[in-house]
């Protein structure tokens, strides 16, 4: 039912973009991930991986130069814990002091990680495989997601289609710019085209609201509570609807707006597991009596896997017995845990789990009574005590949990991607997400040394002047907390030297602990040179406009910078003037002036405007959080311009009303705009920085090398599997088809074949165990040759006589035809028919000879001829007869040549006897 409804929500626009055949929504969890998919002719769905599972472990296992993913990695992790990195999303874009990173360190995570100063990010040391950045590891996981999505969409069939590429990835609400950028880098390394990032809860809210329209004029406020693997996130979301005209009809469209977000970065499912791990480790240490099992990665990995099971069982049972064979030091571990004890041990986590609810309500300025529904998403909800803990805060409000609610994030993300992509048309759902982190900008003059010195001697004077004045600097908020995402903002100011721009996170209660305030820095150059050029023209200081974007992915970026100077020039124009005695009417004047392209104003006025804009812009930047789109802003700018123009016009010109006109020549002032696109250089001075070009290249090469290794392994496995399955199929076939095979083979021949299969099988487990691909290929050929020969003979036993029979029939038919044509087709000459007869005989001779040879052979001998040789014998003869059948009739005099030919042709094909 639900699936049916969802199909209607996504409508593929065929063939707009051949590459965008599908869009993935990847819910990138720290422990597992899910892929939602939008594609042509299918409902919005969850991709099933190669193990037929709907979620996949976020994990990579390195073994002898190649990699294993998902369940393949997970099932081997206890054997190779030091070579199985996981939880890489916790290390993306962070340093070793980040709370989530220190938390991971405290949980005896087996793979060592540290901060690398050169790389300005974390790195992970994989046993026997070297150093990897979290971006690289995440890229491997995302690459695996692409691979199994491709296998899923092609239904296991080999396909030449490129791998799916377009995707929307989920991120936790608390991901700051560094973390978001690092995830985008990982996606780039994996070859993904990320249409956008989306907050996990926002994606869930979108999925919830996709097929739900609140009655017009009403709102529904829903709280999304998401206890995930490593964190808890809460969002308050308000649903409403609005009416649009579609095909002349009024249509109600659903929309939602995120009101607030709150979280606990380290209170997640694995924190609960960790409580159990610590308990079990303590119990084991008591029994072992020889040290701390926490120092033993393999044992700890086993305990962690066990703890997950224990937690699951305790969700439904009051007690679980625990038995682990040979946990460490050949010691079996026996223990048990009750739900009550578990709940007592994890009590602070249960307390913490509801705190984000209160925080989110406070941030939204709401009380729990204002919430119409609470939706639980994420996988951590299975613990009953968590629900009890929530009920303390939520009172008697029902906690809604829809089936597979932890898939709603992947599905919502895929839907969002389809909404962005031009290749799909989706049901309209208005979505407004907000940023929780206020972003500010600091502007200052660039250091004199870096200016490049195009003034020569003059530069020094200028600098001295400057030092006398106070150093120029400005500061403004560009994106406020709770401000919309996916907006642009322009700042404009009058300035005559190059500008240093620092984009920073401003102080906020919401900014995660340990987040550096630095986001990114820019040097904007070209202002000084441009200003100097303007001075030479006798013009004033330029107006510098810089435009910032806070993307839908939550990334802040300087998009463009421009300097302009307006020059007022006098031009002679012809003008129609009306009767000077008429009464002035200002309204009219204003309107006309507004419509004119070139505003008329004096230089002072222009400067005034600039100053006005400068101050206004800054004020706006500082005070207005919800200048929601560029268009809106442009409109505002225009509005301001209009205002200015109106004022100017009112001062300058009065326009008579009456229609009596005459043309006169007047000098008119017009504005000419000098414009310069400024150069933007991006750089980072903070501890953590995004990938540099050099590191990017390193990573690309590294991943390509690993992919090549994987391919070698993959090809080897394929060759091995092919040989293995040949061994079994031969053995099976010989035993199952004994009777039939007896017709064309001796018992010895069959025994020989089975013996060869058996010796190959032995080889597979012996020398073949670590053989090269070539060895498997040649073994397969050796085995195939005698088997194919025998199976072929069996097939030929029936095919060969059938082919002979068919051939003979054809020859008879042609012979009869020749006799018939003697009277019906005069245009076919005697010679031609004789030729056909001769050829028929020749073929009959060939058949006779072959049948004779075959009759002298034993059935198990290699046949004298193959069925496939028969049909080609008569091929050329058949073509000849067909040609003759189309031979034109003799010319008829009345008709001219072209007509005759056409008719003959027609008759030939119509009346020709079928072969
Ligand atoms: C740090 O990263 C750089 C660049 O990837 C690498 O060359 C270097 O070996 C790393 N240093 C350490 C100490 O791991
Ligand atoms: C659509 O809505 C508008 C304004 O709400 C209303 O004036 C109009 O009559 C409606 N049209 C239809 C077809 O319902
Ligand atoms: C879909 O796109 C439209 C147009 O850009 C936008 O207004 C709307 O909010 C988007 N909705 C979603 C769910 O992405
Ligand atoms: C930007 O300018 C500063 C000095 O003002 C200089 O130290 C830095 O290297 C420059 N960065 C780039 C990327 O040009
Ligand atoms: C043949 O007939 C066609 C159509 O009747 C005519 O156009 C053409 O000129 C004729 N050709 C000759 C060679 O008479």
């Amino acid at each position: 039912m639900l699936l049916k409804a969802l199909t209607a929500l996504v409508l593929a626009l065929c063939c707009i973009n051949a590459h965008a055949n599908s869009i993935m929504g990847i819910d990138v969890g720290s422990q597992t991930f899910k892929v939602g998919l939008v594609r042509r002719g299918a409902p919005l769905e969850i991709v099933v991986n190669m193990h037929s599972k709907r979620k996949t472990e976020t994990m990579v296992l390195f073994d002898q130069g190649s990699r294993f993913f998902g369940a393949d990695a997970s099932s081997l992790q206890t054997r190779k814990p030091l070579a199985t990195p996981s939880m890489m999303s916790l290390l993306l874009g962070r340093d070793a002091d980040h709370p989530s990173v220190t938390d991971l360190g405290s949980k005896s995570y087996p793979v060592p990680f540290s901060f690398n100063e050169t790389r300005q990010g974390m790195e992970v040391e994989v046993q026997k495989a070297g150093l990897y950045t979290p971006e690289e590891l995440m890229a491997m996981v995302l690459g695996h997601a692409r691979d199994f999505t491709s296998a899923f969409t092609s239904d296991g069939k080999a396909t030449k289609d490129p791998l799916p590429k377009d995707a929307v990835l989920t991120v936790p609400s608390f991901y700051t710019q560094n973390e978001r950028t690092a995830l985008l880098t990982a996606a780039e390394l994996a070859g993904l085209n990320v249409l956008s990032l989306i907050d996990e809860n926002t994606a869930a809210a979108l999925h919830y609201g996709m097929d739900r329209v609140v009655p017009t004029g009403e709102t529904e406020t829903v709280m999304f509570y998401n206890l995930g693997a490593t964190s808890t996130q809460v969002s308050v979301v308000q649903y409403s609807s609005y009416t649009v005209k579609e095909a002349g009809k009024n249509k109600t469209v659903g929309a939602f707006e995120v009101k607030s977000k709150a979280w606990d970065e380290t209170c997640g499912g694995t924190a609960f597991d960790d409580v159990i791990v610590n308990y079990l480790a303590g119990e084991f240490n008591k029994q072992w009596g020889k040290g701390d099992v926490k120092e033993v990665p393999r044992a700890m990995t086993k305990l962690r896997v066990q703890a997950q099971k224990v937690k699951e069982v305790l969700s439904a049972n009051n007690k679980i017995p625990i038995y682990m064979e040979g946990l460490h030091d050949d010691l079996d571990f026996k223990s048990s845990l009750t739900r009550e004890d578990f709940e007592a041990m994890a009590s602070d986590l249960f307390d913490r789990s509801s705190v984000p609810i209160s925080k989110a309500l406070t941030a939204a300025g709401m009380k729990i009574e204002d919430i119409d529904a609470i939706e639980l998403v994420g996988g951590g909800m299975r613990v009953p005590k968590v629900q009890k803990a929530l009920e303390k805060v939520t009172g008697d409000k029902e906690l809604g949990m829809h089936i597979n609610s932890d898939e709603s994030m992947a599905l919502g993300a895929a839907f969002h991607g389809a909404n962005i992509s031009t290749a799909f048309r989706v049901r309209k759902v208005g979505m407004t997400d907000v940023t929780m982190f206020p972003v500010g900008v600091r502007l200052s003059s660039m250091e004199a040394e870096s200016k490049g010195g195009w003034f020569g001697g003059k530069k020094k004077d200028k600098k001295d002047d400057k030092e006398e004045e106070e150093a120029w600097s400005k500061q403004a908020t560009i994106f406020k907390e709770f401000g919309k995402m996916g907006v642009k903002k322009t700042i404009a100011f009058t300035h005559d030297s190059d500008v240093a721009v620092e984009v920073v996170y401003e102080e906020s209660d919401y900014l995660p602990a340990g987040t550096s305030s630095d986001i990114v820095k820019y040097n904007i150059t070209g202002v000084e040179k441009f200003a100097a050029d303007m001075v030479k023209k006798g013009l004033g200081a330029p107006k510098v406009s810089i435009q910032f974007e806070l993307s839908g992915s939550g990334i802040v970026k300087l998009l463009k910078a421009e300097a302009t100077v307006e020059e007022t020039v006098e031009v002679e124009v012809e003008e129609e003037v009306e009767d000077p005695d008429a009464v002035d009417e200002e309204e009219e004047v204003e309107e006309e002036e507004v419509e004119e392209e070139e505003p008329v104003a004096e230089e002072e006025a222009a400067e005034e405007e600039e100053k006005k804009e400068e101050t206004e812009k800054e004020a706006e930047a500082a005070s207005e959080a919800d200048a929601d789109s560029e268009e809106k802003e442009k409109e505002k700018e225009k509005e301001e311009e209009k205002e200015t123009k109106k004022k100017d016009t009112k001062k300058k010109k009065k326009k008579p009303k009456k229609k009596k006109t005459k043309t006169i020549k007047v000098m008119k002032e017009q504005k000419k705009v000098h414009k310069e696109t400024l150069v933007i250089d991006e750089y980072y001075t903070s501890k953590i920085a995004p990938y540099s070009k050099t590191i990017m290249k390193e990573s690309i090469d590294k991943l390509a090398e690993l992919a090549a290794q994987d391919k070698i392994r993959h090809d080897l496995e394929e060759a091995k599997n092919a040989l293995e399955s040949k061994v079994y199929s031969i053995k099976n076939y010989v035993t199952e088809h004994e009777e039939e095979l007896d017709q064309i083979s001796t018992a010895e021949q069959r025994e020989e074949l089975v013996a060869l299969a058996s010796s190959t099988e032995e080889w597979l487990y012996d020398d073949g165990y670590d053989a090269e691909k070539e060895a498997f290929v040649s073994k397969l050929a050796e085995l195939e040759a005698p088997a194919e020969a025998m199976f072929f003979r069996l097939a030929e036993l029936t095919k060969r006589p059938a082919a002979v029979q068919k051939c003979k029939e054809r020859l008879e038919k042609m012979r009869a035809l020749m006799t018939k044509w003697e009277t019906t087709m005069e245009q076919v000459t005697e010679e031609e028919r004789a030729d056909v007869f001769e050829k028929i005989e020749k073929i009959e001779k060939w058949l006779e000879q072959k049948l004779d040879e075959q009759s002298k052979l034993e059935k198990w001998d290699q046949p004298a001829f193959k069925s496939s040789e028969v049909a080609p014998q008569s091929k050329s003869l058949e073509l000849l007869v067909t040609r003759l059948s189309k031979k034109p009739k003799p010319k008829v005099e009345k008709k001219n040549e072209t007509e005759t030919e056409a008719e003959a042709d027609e008759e030939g094909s119509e009346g020709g006897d079928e072969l």
Side-chain angles (χ1 to χ4, degrees), residues 730-731 733-758 783 786-787 790-791 793-794 860:
I730 286 173
K731 285 176 145 187
Y733 197 85
V734 173
T735 30
E736 279 168 23
H737 298 82
E738 176 100 47
E739 229 167 89
E740 290 112 299
L741 287 171
D742 196 48
Q743 298 176 279
I744 47 86
S745 62
T746 62
E748 291 78 42
Q749 281 176 326
R750 293 195 297 276
E751 274 158 29
E752 224 170 85
L753 183 58
V754 172
L756 181 60
S758 296
L783 181 60
M790 189 186 291
F791 301 160
R793 287 204 301 279
L794 181 57
W860 43 84

Side-chain angles (χ1 to χ4, degrees), residues 550-609:
L550 170 62
S551 72
S553 298
I555 305 267
V556 183
K557 198 175 168 207
L558 199 168
L559 289 184
K560 59 179 181 197
E562 206 176 73
T564 51
V565 167
E566 281 180 355
E567 179 179 9
T568 309
V569 288
E570 288 214 324
V571 287
E572 195 184 63
V573 290
E574 285 189 349
E575 200 173 59
E576 287 206 336
V577 196
E578 287 170 32
D579 194 327
D581 297 331
V583 188
D584 290 351
E585 191 160 312
E586 289 186 3
E587 289 304 318
E588 252 183 43
V589 176
E590 278 169 29
E591 256 176 43
E592 194 175 284
E593 286 304 328
V594 168
E595 274 159 22
E596 259 179 38
E597 269 306 305
E598 294 292 326
V600 183
E602 284 183 342
E603 199 164 313
E604 299 104 77
E607 268 182 15
E608 231 171 61
E609 185 190 336

Side-chain angles (χ1 to χ4, degrees), residues 114 116-119 123 131 133 695 698:
S114 57
N116 181 324
E117 303 285 344
T118 323
R119 143 84 189 92
E123 64 185 8
L131 292 172
T133 64
I695 308 274
E698 268 178 36

Side-chain angles (χ1 to χ4, degrees), residues 8 42 61 193 258 358 370 399 431 473 509 516 527 625-626 675 678 685 714 763 833 881 886:
L61 181 136
N193 173 36
V258 179
S358 320
D370 301 324
L399 302 176
M431 177 176 106
S473 84
D509 293 341
S516 155
V527 187
D626 56 358
K675 189 185 273 182
L678 303 172
T685 55
H714 181 260
W763 176 86
R833 279 184 282 117
V881 172
K886 291 183 180 173

Side-chain angles (χ1 to χ4, degrees), residues 446-447 450 523 681 683:
M446 266 174 72
E447 304 274 315
S450 61
N523 289 343
D681 285 306
Y683 67 109

